[in-house]
Amino acid sequence: MEKVCAEVKLINGIDEGDARNRIISEDEIRVCSIDILVDTGSYMLAINEHIQEYLQLPVVDSKKAQTADHRIIDCDVVAPIVLLFQNRRFTGSAMVLPGDSEPLLGAIPLEEMDVLIHPLRQELIVNPEHPLYAQLKLK
């Protein structure tokens, strides 16, 4: 299977709320567009230190994570972060990987956004069974 990446937008969730409450203007919301590796072997959203620094996301926790080469590393967890892909939205937390590590889009945000990898085109797509909205499973 080829490496699958997607273009997404990341938003500082606190800024988004502050703009909604008219504490800051829409122009002051910290946002960035990135290419992210779609990694169904990962659970969470993972960004790197440069993205965290740019978005100024607050650290809310710390977790240990196992890397692809089986090392165990300590990662800060930041929140709230908003991820946008096409007409889908994920709001939650992200692990912070060291330096300029490649950002990862894991299984939890993929499920919440109801997106999947198209097997022939090797690209992230909105679930064709629910093209207008994300439908979550509760069972």
Side-chain angles (χ1 to χ4, degrees), residues 54-73:
Y54 179 79
L55 293 177
Q56 290 295 294
L57 296 161
V59 175
V60 297
D61 200 358
S62 178
K63 293 189 183 291
K64 293 196 180 296
Q66 185 176 19
T67 64
D69 62 2
H70 304 290
R71 290 180 299 124
I72 305 296
I73 60 172

Side-chain angles (χ1 to χ4, degrees), residues 39-112:
D39 186 358
T40 57
S42 295
Y43 292 113
M44 294 182 68
L45 171 63
I47 61 173
N48 62 42
E49 290 174 335
H50 298 295
I51 295 168
Q52 191 274 336
E53 208 172 282
Y54 179 79
L55 293 177
Q56 290 295 294
L57 296 161
V59 175
V60 297
D61 200 358
S62 178
K63 293 189 183 291
K64 293 196 180 296
Q66 185 176 19
T67 64
D69 62 2
H70 304 290
R71 290 180 299 124
I72 305 296
I73 60 172
D74 290 312
C75 295
D76 287 337
V77 177
V78 295
I81 186 169
V82 177
L83 182 144
L84 303 177
F85 173 75
Q86 294 184 12
N87 66 340
R88 303 303 164 97
R89 176 185 179 95
F90 166 77
T91 303
S93 60
M95 295 182 79
V96 180
L97 301 173
D100 63 352
S101 298
E102 186 168 32
L104 305 172
L105 181 55
I108 293 171
L110 290 171
E111 283 289 322
E112 185 170 321

Side-chain angles (χ1 to χ4, degrees), residues 103-133:
L104 305 172
L105 181 55
I108 293 171
L110 290 171
E111 283 289 322
E112 185 170 321
M113 292 189 299
D114 193 17
V115 295
L116 36 98
I117 296 172
H118 189 286
L120 297 176
R121 298 192 321 238
Q122 290 296 292
E123 66 182 17
L124 190 67
I125 62 168
V126 167
N127 186 337
E129 292 181 14
H130 318 119
L132 302 177
Y133 54 85

